[in-house]
Amino acid sequence: MLLKILLGFLCGVTAQQSPPPLLLVSFDGFRADYLKRFPMVNLKLLYSQGVLVDELTNVFVTKTFPNHYTMVTGLYPESHGILANNMYDPVSHQYFHIGEKNDPWWWNEAEPLWVTALDSGYKTAGMMWPGSDLPIRNRTPTHFLHYDPGVTFKQRVGNVTNWIIGDGKEVGVKFAALYWEEPDKSGHFYGPDNTTAMAKALKEVDDNIGVLVSELKRTGLWGRINLLIASDHGMTQCSTERLIRLDDCLQPDSYTLVDLAPVTAIIPHTDPKAIVDLLNKCHTHITAYLKEDIPVRLHYRNNIRIQPVIVIADEGWTIVQRGNKLRKVGNHGYDNALSSMHPFLAATGPSFRQGYHISSLQSVDIYPLMCHLLSVPPQPNNGTLTKARCLLAAETCLDTGLVILLMVLQVVLLVLIMAALLYILQRNRRRSVL
Ligand code: AMP
Ligand code: ZN
Ligand code: ZN
């Protein structure tokens, strides 16, 4: 009997200590204000039972690979090393190109959560998430599929839920990261201002969220799993009226091009300062920087993979080498201070508050939040749990509005007490004179 009680107690403790599984889903290029522009019935139902962050302040450059790696490392690109979709490494003299087979060592400057969580004894999974099908610091997640855009959303979700449930003999996955290509693909093709086309693309995304919720319900995971739905960046409308031709600014043989639009990375063959001056004089809708002069707020200086000259186009402007061709009607990559570049974050599950909402959060803060949810010791990172903590059911956080109201009440109370004291003092003095 005593043994039974002891076992029961120990099991209770272990069950209590083991956190719920965590599933992070990214819908590429989901601009924050799509939530206001389009119905998104399933997504809205999901966060009405959980939490919503209206806008995530993501990281520069606002491209897919840098931002996805930030979400799972909590680091700015200058610290995790995936600085753009196209890069050059001056030590190895190698190039990195999105969509091509790149060596895994490009990712080794950081350790993603699906690797770190292995050290806590957890199984992890990556489903098409950038980097998750490669050995990073010699380790992959426990389960992954090689990147294949032909794998449907339903197939991705089916695999992930199977991995989370486990096969009865083996325990399931504790952390999984799942990636989906839309609405980014449609945003590039039609442009975010094409309401008819984007409504169709967003309806499909919302249907996929419906598929995800149904699958979690069917497998009994709904209500037992913490689910984060996020995105990497937004999207803005481009135009053939807003083209900037590098050939109009620079001699084609005076530089090597590493990345083009909307952030151009250049290796100058001549004096870098002269190249920067030529570019800045050439067009009012670009700003060229020497690497050491890139604004500190962009956190985009301290890495050898950042080239000596960086050119940033204004919102909606496209840098091309020559000609009049606009390859992408919508694009992203611009300054991360722009609202159009911001995505959103929604979450639901046993650890989250219900029907709660905050207006903003840094995307580097997602990593410490996920480590907290999994009780995994975080790697050094640029995020903080301070604000994200307020999204959690176990935390008592006061609204900023409420804090201000309480402070005002305190001041009013203080003034009233002072006035009362003064009144009493004066009355006593008058009495003593009489
Ligand atoms: P972007 O140029 O920033 O819009 O990148 C989006 C594209 O990245 C998608 O359309 C995919 O083709 C590609 N992509 C996304 N995930 C992966 C991955 N895990 N491996 C290779 N390419 C990917
Ligand atoms: Zn993207
Ligand atoms: Zn894109």
Side-chain angles (χ1 to χ4, degrees), residues 137-340:
R137 298 185 178 177
N138 292 323
R139 291 192 292 174
T140 61
T142 319
H143 302 280
F144 63 91
L145 291 190
H146 282 291
Y147 183 65
D148 175 1
V151 179
T152 65
F153 187 80
K154 202 164 189 278
Q155 288 167 332
R156 295 183 196 195
V157 170
N159 274 290
V160 166
T161 48
N162 281 339
W163 291 334
I164 294 175
I165 295 164
D167 64 2
K169 282 176 251 138
E170 298 258 350
V171 289
V173 155
K174 198 58 105 176
F175 170 65
L178 189 154
Y179 168 87
W180 182 244
E181 286 81 357
E182 286 284 12
D184 179 76
K185 217 168 133 195
S186 299
H188 284 302
F189 195 78
Y190 300 107
D193 293 355
N194 184 333
T195 301
T196 316
M198 289 315 291
K200 191 167 173 283
L202 269 304
K203 165 82 173 67
E204 277 168 23
V205 167
D206 195 55
D207 288 346
N208 280 333
I209 292 171
V211 166
L212 170 67
V213 174
S214 301
E215 188 62 10
L216 291 175
K217 285 184 175 163
R218 191 188 66 77
T219 51
L221 287 169
W222 184 253
R224 292 201 298 116
I225 191 174
N226 283 320
L227 173 64
L228 294 186
I229 297 190
S231 182
D232 50 350
H233 52 73
M235 189 69 69
T236 199
Q237 193 75 21
C238 298
S239 162
T240 41
E241 313 276 285
R242 294 191 293 274
L243 287 180
I244 299 151
R245 289 168 204 88
L246 280 184
D247 274 6
D248 292 348
C249 307
L250 301 175
Q251 287 290 340
D253 58 359
S254 67
Y255 66 95
T256 298
L257 191 68
V258 174
D259 203 5
L260 186 57
V263 175
T264 303
I266 282 175
I267 307 171
H269 298 169
T270 53
D271 174 27
K273 179 78 175 75
I275 296 263
V276 164
D277 289 345
L278 275 175
L279 285 161
N280 282 330
K281 272 187 214 131
C282 182
H283 207 289
T284 48
H285 289 288
I286 50 171
T287 311
Y289 297 99
L290 284 174
K291 176 175 176 171
E292 57 269 30
D293 296 335
I294 297 172
V296 175
R297 67 177 181 83
L298 295 175
H299 301 282
Y300 205 77
R301 260 194 212 174
N302 299 312
N303 196 294
I304 49 158
R305 296 173 189 170
I306 298 169
Q307 304 311 324
V309 174
I310 296 293
V311 192
I312 308 175
D314 285 354
E315 182 179 5
W317 287 82
T318 304
I319 301 172
V320 294
Q321 279 199 288
R322 59 195 69 92
N324 299 314
K325 206 159 176 254
L326 181 72
R327 282 183 50 240
K328 291 175 176 172
V329 183
N331 210 359
H332 53 90
Y334 301 92
D335 193 328
N336 64 329
L338 294 164
S339 186
S340 61

Side-chain angles (χ1 to χ4, degrees), residues 336-384:
N336 64 329
L338 294 164
S339 186
S340 61
M341 290 298 107
H342 293 167
F344 76 103
L345 171 74
T348 185
S351 305
F352 288 97
R353 295 172 77 167
Q354 291 194 2
Y356 188 69
H357 135 269
I358 58 174
S359 51
S360 67
L361 189 74
Q362 303 280 327
S363 70
V364 288
D365 296 342
I366 296 177
Y367 173 80
L369 171 66
M370 293 196 297
C371 290
H372 178 80
L373 290 169
L374 292 168
S375 299
V376 166
Q379 291 284 310
N381 65 84
N382 301 118
T384 154

Side-chain angles (χ1 to χ4, degrees), residues 386-413:
T386 316
K387 202 168 177 190
R389 211 180 258 287
C390 296
L391 303 172
L392 301 173
E395 304 285 335
T396 39
C397 274
L398 289 179
D399 268 312
T400 330
L402 197 62
V403 171
I404 294 171
L405 187 73
L406 284 174
M407 275 163 64
V408 170
L409 279 176
Q410 254 182 339
V411 172
V412 170
L413 206 69

